[in-house]
Amino acid sequence: MKYILLLTALLSSGVFASEFDETMAAAKQGKAYAQFNLGVMYDIGRGVPKNDAEAVKWYRKAAEQGDAIAQYNLGVMYDFGRGIPENDAEAVKWFRKAAEQGYVTAQYNLGNMYFNGEGVPENDAEAVKWYRKAAEQGYVTAQYNLGVMYVQGKGVPENSIKAYVWWSMAKTQGQESAKENLDILKSQMTKQQIAQAQELAAKCFESGYKDCD
């Protein structure tokens, strides 16, 4: 799993320090966006020495105000035990909050937690649910994983046509494993199944991943 780091322009240390002071002032006033940004600053060491514990502190403040990316980042800190003891259940808690707000990477990670049984009982159906939500937002690895679930019949009935559809979507985004798997899957399908799968894949792509079933 990976979490989002804000990309920043290369500025002088003086500018960073000034930015940090302004952000700290706004964060202390309770502004969630500033609390999140302050967490990022401590996370990556921008304008202040890197400090995971302080990053957690400020991510939490923003997360408790409903900031989805802060919720996700806090989940990552728990997942990896950065600045706080590792705790998969807490990671799941914060991933879920962000996922329920539609944050795509949190949806994907929550699917992984259910698939692997980390912080929650292993549950393939729940993994499929969250992979699908991320896949429908165009998250390529979720699209690939959803194809795997359909091929293996995990959390959903085994269905080669739907596996073909989701691997096709991942392939269009350059996912090499999806391309290789599609070639194998195609060799195991009838001409009628392939035609049906290709028609559904076209609908899926044209609808922006919404009409895929």
Side-chain angles (χ1 to χ4, degrees):
M1 301 176 193
K2 296 182 179 178
Y3 64 98
I4 304 300
L5 294 180
L6 299 186
L7 299 180
T8 56
L10 294 176
L11 303 174
S12 70
S13 59
V15 172
F16 280 145
S18 174
E19 179 189 27
F20 175 81
D21 290 342
E22 293 173 3
T23 304
M24 176 63 83
K28 286 183 176 179
Q29 292 174 15
K31 296 180 179 179
Y33 76 88
Q35 293 169 343
F36 168 73
N37 287 343
L38 193 58
V40 172
M41 289 176 160
Y42 277 114
D43 198 340
I44 66 177
R46 170 175 170 152
V48 68
K50 181 176 169 61
N51 187 320
D52 287 344
E54 282 293 308
V56 166
K57 169 185 170 181
W58 291 103
Y59 283 152
R60 187 184 304 281
K61 288 180 181 293
E64 289 174 345
Q65 293 199 65
D67 186 292
I69 307 180
Q71 291 169 344
Y72 173 69
N73 282 9
L74 184 56
V76 170
M77 303 302 266
Y78 273 113
D79 194 19
F80 287 97
R82 292 185 51 214
I84 199 165
E86 183 177 335
N87 188 320
D88 288 341
E90 282 293 309
V92 166
K93 168 186 170 180
W94 291 106
F95 286 154
R96 188 185 308 280
K97 288 180 181 293
E100 288 174 346
Q101 294 196 68
Y103 191 62
V104 64
T105 318
Q107 293 172 338
Y108 171 71
N109 279 7
L110 187 56
N112 282 340
M113 301 300 269
Y114 275 111
F115 182 77
N116 295 314
E118 297 174 344
V120 286
E122 185 176 323
N123 188 321
D124 289 339
E126 280 293 307
V128 166
K129 169 186 170 180
W130 292 104
Y131 285 153
R132 187 184 305 280
K133 288 181 182 293
E136 289 175 348
Q137 292 199 66
Y139 199 87
V140 63
T141 314
Q143 293 174 341
Y144 174 77
N145 285 7
L146 195 51
V148 172
M149 302 300 270
Y150 273 116
V151 161
Q152 297 181 352
K154 289 189 173 182
V156 285
E158 185 177 333
N159 191 314
S160 296
I161 290 174
K162 292 183 179 180
Y164 185 105
V165 169
W166 285 111
W167 280 343
S168 293
M169 298 306 100
K171 177 185 175 181
T172 64
Q173 297 196 67
Q175 224 278 4
E176 286 299 319
S177 295
K179 180 180 182 301
E180 295 170 4
N181 286 2
L182 267 175
D183 290 339
I184 297 171
L185 183 62
K186 202 170 180 179
S187 70
Q188 300 170 350
M189 297 170 69
T190 67
K191 289 183 179 180
Q192 183 179 4
Q193 287 176 322
I194 293 171
Q196 185 179 350
Q198 289 174 338
E199 181 180 356
L200 185 56
K203 289 181 180 179
C204 183
F205 184 77
E206 291 167 4
S207 68
Y209 313 122
K210 300 303 180 185
D211 187 10
C212 303
D213 289 325

